[in-house]
Amino acid sequence: MDKRIKVGLIGLGQRGNGLMNNILKIKDTLISAICDKFSDRLDNAEKRIVDNGDPAPFKTDDYLKVIACGVDVVIVATSWNNHVEVALSAMNAGVPVAMEVGGSHSIEDCWALVDCYEKTNTPFFFLENCCYNIDEALATSLVRNGVLGEVVYCQGAYCHDLRSEIAGGIDTHHYRLEEYKNYCCDNYPTHELGPISKILNINRGNRFIKLVSMSSKSLGMKHYIKNTPIYADRLKDIEFKQGDVVSTMIQCENGEMIVLKLDTTLPRLYDRNLTVSGTKGFYCQSTNAVVLDKGEFDHEIDKYSKAFGSDEKYNKYLPEEWRAITDEQKKAGHGGMDYIMLRHLFDALKTKEKKMPIDVYDAAVWMSITALSEKSIKEGSMPVDCIDFTRGKYKQFKPLDTFKYPYIRCKNKIN
Ligand SMILES: NC(=O)c1ccc[n+]([C@@H]2O[C@H](COP(=O)([O-])OP(=O)(O)OC[C@H]3O[C@@H](n4cnc5c(N)ncnc54)[C@H](O)[C@@H]3O)[C@@H](O)[C@H]2O)c1
């Protein structure tokens, strides 16, 4: 009998295929069931699996049939608006679920995830891969090891020019087109907020208290469509509610402040811009700099620029998985973070762990920022209370590894 972990992959668009790059190479897993609404996507995915030397998977356009077909885990890589219904069905059936990222417009949906998990105790993993990326891993390890002192402020962003993906939805059915037409909010907060929350021990002794969001006007998509012949005529009448830049400030119970930025419809470079400022120094992802207040700090830009790239000097703080990673694992998706995340998922399933490193409480509180930012913007950028989805248990919940790094294994003590 095939002893490999049987994966049911639901959603075979860009991300489903990206995840497949990794899973097909991971020897102790098998994609045994696949699901999408489009038959050509099902056929392409089946071909990739068979070409990899694996048996043809069970194919269906009904995710309930994947949940019922005897898989060990379902991975949900569908559009944002149906993640929760799939995850609830899987948890209710006792099938562990790994759910892709995205914000939620509904606080009720976030509560539904938490309530279902607490009722069923079915393992739930939120696939926030940026928590596993090398930069975020280094920043977290620097904090855990006290290098930056006590953290006071974190900022992060999702800056990604997605104009062609959004407009292209008219041909690809990509969900972002409808999202940008109908909502104005921070629709994708978790890539930056996930790592920041781990750094600040959110849900594990700390929590978000309130937020304020503000949006710019919306011009980027209109301008892009007008100047892009393949869309100019077909999309000319569409109005977009989504502002081009949305900023959100979050206050934490332990006194830290977080600033997030969503910037996806103007020409710009990709950047997550993680910055962690503590009493002894700061980490800045955009310049790959670690700057400590020990004589090397100078606030003049010409002197600061000498610190660009200085994070290499701190490689000893990297978790062991980032030191042992192979070129093949790096190439399999997003520079290696996807491989490390999936390895954690599959290892947790093999050892039948009930608690996942990124759990349902993390998912609920990070996803809820979308709905709360929408509310704040609608109310003229008024402060909005954040929600404690742990119902007070965050005071007892401990970081998974109090030594250093809560979600990447790191055995070596750093002196
Ligand atoms: N973690 C990352 O780095 C990363 C990167 C890209 C996308 N994502 C996430 O992955 C998810 C998918 O994004 P994408 O860009 O691949 O979108 P996509 O539109 O390319 O793919 C989504 C797929 O899901 C299918 N689908 C939707 N509803 C379905 C249903 N009810 N039953 C079966 N199939 C259904 C669609 O037909 C489509 O093929 C989103 O949640 C997104 O936020 C994560």
Side-chain angles (χ1 to χ4, degrees):
M1 205 179 85
D2 201 326
K3 290 264 174 60
R4 288 181 284 180
I5 297 168
K6 293 194 282 305
V7 176
L9 187 53
I10 303 174
L12 302 168
Q14 299 181 89
R15 184 57 176 157
N17 275 284
L19 287 164
M20 211 189 272
N21 291 342
N22 258 292
I23 301 170
L24 290 177
K25 292 198 182 94
I26 297 178
K27 300 271 178 281
D28 52 354
T29 62
L30 169 71
I31 301 174
S32 63
I34 51 175
C35 175
D36 202 282
K37 291 186 298 191
F38 295 106
S39 60
D40 57 330
R41 295 182 189 186
L42 280 165
D43 293 343
N44 288 340
E46 178 186 38
K47 181 169 178 334
R48 290 189 65 192
I49 292 166
V50 172
D51 287 351
N52 194 52
D54 293 324
F58 170 63
K59 278 197 299 183
T60 176
D61 62 0
D62 179 356
Y63 68 80
L64 292 172
K65 291 189 178 152
V66 174
I67 291 169
C69 80
V71 291
D72 298 310
V73 60
V74 292
I75 296 184
V76 185
T78 58
S79 30
W80 297 335
N81 60 4
N82 84 327
H83 285 180
V84 172
E85 67 173 72
V86 182
L88 295 179
S89 302
M91 279 195 276
N92 277 322
V95 178
V97 54
M99 190 178 90
E100 258 305 338
V101 296
S104 172
H105 299 297
S106 158
I107 298 297
E108 291 72 29
D109 275 3
C110 299
W111 274 118
L113 283 176
V114 169
D115 291 344
C116 187
Y117 170 76
E118 291 184 346
K119 184 182 82 183
T120 61
N121 209 18
T122 307
F124 174 98
F125 195 129
F126 193 52
L127 292 172
E128 184 36 85
N129 47 350
C130 295
C131 286
Y132 293 89
N133 186 46
I134 188 165
D135 297 344
E136 286 81 349
L138 176 64
T140 310
S141 182
L142 290 173
V143 172
R144 293 283 182 267
N145 285 286
V147 179
L148 302 181
E150 185 165 346
V151 177
V152 174
Y153 170 84
C154 292
Q155 76 182 38
Y158 185 65
C159 299
H160 193 177
D161 179 355
L162 291 171
R163 292 173 298 167
S164 65
E165 178 173 291
I166 297 163
I170 190 168
D171 299 316
T172 64
H173 317 281
H174 200 278
Y175 53 86
R176 276 188 189 269
L177 181 56
E178 287 304 306
E179 291 282 337
Y180 281 64
K181 276 160 64 178
N182 296 319
Y183 301 96
C184 183
C185 54
D186 187 333
N187 58 28
Y188 207 54
T190 73
H191 278 343
E192 69 273 27
L193 188 58
I196 289 172
S197 298
K198 292 295 183 185
I199 286 170
L200 297 179
N201 291 323
I202 298 301
N203 287 340
R204 291 161 182 84
N206 198 3
R207 78 175 196 91
F208 303 146
I209 298 292
K210 64 180 165 203
L211 66 72
V212 170
S213 273
M214 193 178 285
S215 170
S216 76
K217 61 185 168 184
S218 171
L219 280 185
M221 286 308 300
K222 274 272 181 209
H223 186 268
Y224 173 80
I225 286 166
K226 193 169 156 211
N227 291 293
T228 308
I230 51 168
Y231 303 124
D233 198 40
R234 292 185 296 157
L235 296 180
K236 68 178 185 315
D237 296 326
I238 291 187
E239 297 300 327
F240 291 92
K241 274 198 185 158
Q242 180 64 47
D244 289 324
V245 179
V246 171
S247 269
T248 302
M249 291 193 289
I250 307 177
Q251 188 182 52
C252 302
E253 185 173 78
N254 291 348
E256 304 90 349
M257 176 185 168
I258 300 170
V259 176
L260 308 178
K261 181 166 84 151
L262 177 88
D263 181 348
T264 53
T265 46
L266 295 171
R268 59 154 308 120
L269 297 173
Y270 184 93
D271 192 8
R272 288 200 301 280
N273 190 27
L274 174 67
T275 304
V276 183
S277 293
T279 49
K280 291 190 195 167
F282 69 94
Y283 169 79
C284 174
Q285 183 178 29
S286 304
T287 52
N288 288 112
V290 179
V291 179
L292 301 182
D293 191 17
K294 279 197 309 196
E296 58 187 276
F297 175 73
D298 198 309
H299 64 268
E300 300 292 344
I301 186 65
D302 57 333
K303 304 227 173 88
Y304 171 50
S305 64
K306 294 200 181 99
F308 291 5
S310 59
D311 63 356
E312 271 185 20
K313 283 194 281 180
Y314 295 83
N315 276 349
K316 70 174 182 178
Y317 289 96
L318 278 175
E320 61 186 17
E321 280 156 302
W322 271 109
R323 297 190 231 184
I325 197 157
T326 66
D327 284 344
E328 192 186 25
Q329 289 159 355
K330 281 188 190 166
K331 276 191 214 127
H334 289 128
M337 63 180 170
D338 289 356
Y339 167 76
I340 294 179
M341 174 184 72
L342 289 168
R343 195 59 266 167
H344 277 241
L345 167 67
F346 296 133
D347 286 349
L349 291 168
K350 279 169 108 168
T351 53
K352 305 220 178 300
E353 276 170 45
K354 289 283 183 196
K355 286 201 175 123
M356 293 291 172
I358 305 182
D359 62 19
V360 77
Y361 303 105
D362 295 324
V365 75
W366 302 346
M367 289 165 67
S368 73
I369 297 304
T370 293
L372 298 176
S373 73
E374 194 179 340
K375 183 169 188 307
S376 176
I377 290 167
K378 266 194 194 141
E379 292 175 2
S381 300
M382 291 301 282
V384 170
D385 286 340
C386 295
I387 296 159
D388 169 21
F389 287 96
T390 73
R391 297 185 174 96
K393 294 193 286 280
Y394 74 97
K395 290 179 187 154
Q396 285 86 48
F397 287 169
K398 298 269 181 290
L400 294 181
D401 175 354
T402 47
F403 171 45
K404 266 188 296 297
Y405 199 53
Y407 43 97
I408 293 197
R409 291 166 283 238
C410 189
K411 290 193 193 111
N412 40 330
K413 186 163 169 49
I414 294 158
N415 297 306

